[in-house]
Amino acid sequence: MKQEQVKILAIESSCDETAAAVVANGREIRSNVIATQIPVHRIYGGVVPEIASRHHLEAISPVVQQALADANCSYEDIHAIAVANGPGLVGSLLVGVSYAKALAFALRKPLIAVHHWQGHLAAVHIEHEIEKPFLALVVSGSHSGLLLTEESGSRFLGMSHDDAAGEAFDKIARALGLPYPGGPEISRAAERGLPDYVEFPRAWLPGTDDFSFSGLKSAVLNYLNQRRMKGDEPTEQEICSIARAAQEAICDVLSAKAVAAAQREGVKTIALVGGVAANRRLRELLAERAEAAGLRLCYPSPVYCTDNAAMIGVAAYEKWLAQDWADWDLNADPRLLIG
Ligand code: KG4
Ligand code: ZN
């Protein structure tokens, strides 16, 4: 007799996307619904937490219903409810956590709590078979770090001292007059930019696996201010070239340090995950350098790089197998630590 698949309804609401997905056996994405608030926050140049929570409240029910409908599932077909309970914006997280708790309680199904970064990390397993140990370059709007994943567990080898890579993209984009979110805008502008128009400094932080991007942000701001003080406003074409130079500085450091850490640790595979993993130049440069070093590089499709609930459902399956249920007093934790 064919064994029934374990179907997890996963919810993600840590920032400005309300998302729900149904994932079968931790690999098969039966549905993946994302209601983005980007147009709402764009006029403010970034996410406004209070507005984000209110929009999550409006979107969560229809998004969950849609995820069930797309997966051709009823509530009874679902085996467990999973939710990202941190880190993120507390008001946004609370909407997903409260909804998931209420649903699990009413349906008498287990509740599974997933760390948001564990979700990003799990996203790479959707389309790739990866054996441990591997090194993950986790790059999002709130976090940048190098995570070594071994049979015995995961540990961060290094992380950003200041801005996350995505935050650097967003802040530099804002300085260049590009809309929120800055990452995809810089990537698009950079395609039209000229190479070697200007060079920005890189913070290598030698002897560590850490990153720092606040110096780059200041360098771009200083460069723009110096030009503007002389009445030399950059043209649209020049903005594209400046965006290209800033993107190059970020991708250069991320890719070189990831490859160096993988070689030193003796791992053969690098997983590139998180919202910034959608960046075309980062994928290209890291692929080039990984190949030259004899390393395999894996990254999710762009839809699984930025925030989504499918990745939460994939990560939750490990916990299902371990029967690692969350308690009914589960709370949103904006600064949740990994592990
Ligand atoms: O993982 P994510 O969706 O949310 C967080 O967990 O933070 O990442 C969002 C970040 C934003 O900073 C956004 O600008 C960046 O990922 N991002 C990109 C690209 N797409 C999204 N950065 C560079 N290039 C992209 N194509
Ligand atoms: Zn994220």
Side-chain angles (χ1 to χ4, degrees):
M1 204 175 76
K2 206 174 157 215
Q3 216 179 349
E4 195 191 0
Q5 287 191 314
V6 173
K7 291 184 278 299
I8 296 180
L9 170 65
I11 295 174
E12 154 64 44
S13 68
S14 62
C15 189
D16 59 348
E17 329 276 359
T18 320
V22 174
V23 180
N25 281 1
R27 285 293 180 276
E28 198 186 309
I29 312 303
R30 292 282 185 89
S31 62
N32 187 32
V33 179
I34 304 171
T36 183
Q37 302 178 10
I38 287 174
V40 177
H41 299 288
R42 185 162 268 179
I43 49 173
Y44 305 103
V47 179
V48 183
E50 185 57 32
I51 297 177
S53 338
R54 267 187 264 155
H55 276 82
H56 281 304
L57 268 178
E58 283 169 18
I60 188 105
S61 240
V63 163
V64 167
Q65 303 299 329
Q66 191 61 50
L68 288 168
D70 288 359
N72 207 11
C73 278
S74 67
Y75 283 125
E76 285 68 43
D77 298 328
I78 297 297
H79 294 84
I81 314 289
V83 65
N85 69 316
L89 300 171
V90 70
S92 292
L93 287 165
L94 267 173
V95 176
V97 169
S98 315
Y99 198 90
K101 273 165 72 171
L103 204 54
F105 190 76
L107 298 172
R108 298 171 195 271
K109 311 267 178 181
L111 176 70
I112 301 174
V114 175
H115 192 288
H116 182 77
W117 305 342
Q118 285 289 2
H120 276 303
L121 192 63
V124 78
H125 298 292
I126 298 172
E127 297 149 308
H128 305 278
E129 287 299 326
I130 300 188
E131 307 243 310
K132 291 174 185 169
F134 65 88
L135 182 80
L137 174 58
V138 187
V139 273
S140 74
S142 53
H143 185 72
S144 297
L146 283 169
L147 186 77
L148 182 63
T149 297
E150 297 171 298
E151 287 301 343
S152 54
S154 299
R155 68 190 159 90
F156 273 104
L157 301 175
M159 39 179 92
S160 178
H161 288 193
D162 38 60
D163 293 347
E167 201 178 346
F169 270 109
D170 294 340
K171 288 177 175 170
I172 292 168
R174 198 171 178 159
L176 294 174
L178 300 171
Y180 173 84
E185 294 293 335
I186 290 210
S187 177
R188 257 190 298 277
E191 307 262 324
R192 294 171 47 214
L194 301 174
D196 308 320
Y197 175 79
V198 52
E199 174 139 329
F200 293 118
R202 279 92 161 128
W204 289 107
L205 308 184
T208 76
D209 292 317
D210 292 338
F211 301 107
S212 168
F213 296 107
S214 66
L216 170 66
K217 175 190 66 191
S218 304
V220 176
L221 282 170
N222 288 342
Y223 172 81
L224 290 170
N225 287 342
Q226 276 168 14
R227 284 188 60 161
R228 283 172 182 151
M229 274 184 334
K230 292 187 221 145
D232 179 16
E233 186 65 31
T235 62
E236 211 182 308
Q237 173 61 52
E238 286 171 324
I239 291 289
C240 292
S241 300
I242 300 165
R244 180 174 174 150
Q247 173 175 267
E248 201 60 26
I250 295 172
C251 299
D252 186 16
V253 174
L254 289 174
S255 55
K257 294 199 75 158
V259 168
Q263 286 182 305
R264 190 195 61 232
E265 296 294 328
V267 300
K268 292 274 169 269
T269 307
I270 298 180
L272 170 63
V273 297
V276 179
N279 184 272
R280 196 153 356 139
R281 179 60 183 148
L282 179 58
R283 288 168 174 239
E284 178 187 81
L285 196 56
L286 188 51
E288 248 170 50
R289 289 175 172 176
E291 193 187 349
L295 301 167
R296 176 180 176 220
L297 173 67
C298 301
Y299 44 72
S301 297
V303 68
Y304 299 129
C305 288
T306 45
D307 288 349
N308 65 89
M311 67 183 195
I312 303 300
V314 174
Y317 185 62
E318 295 270 310
K319 292 197 165 187
W320 163 274
L321 294 175
Q323 300 206 354
D324 183 0
W325 316 137
D327 293 329
W328 294 118
D329 63 357
L330 178 73
N331 207 350
D333 184 346
R335 277 178 284 277
L336 186 65
L337 296 173
I338 210 155

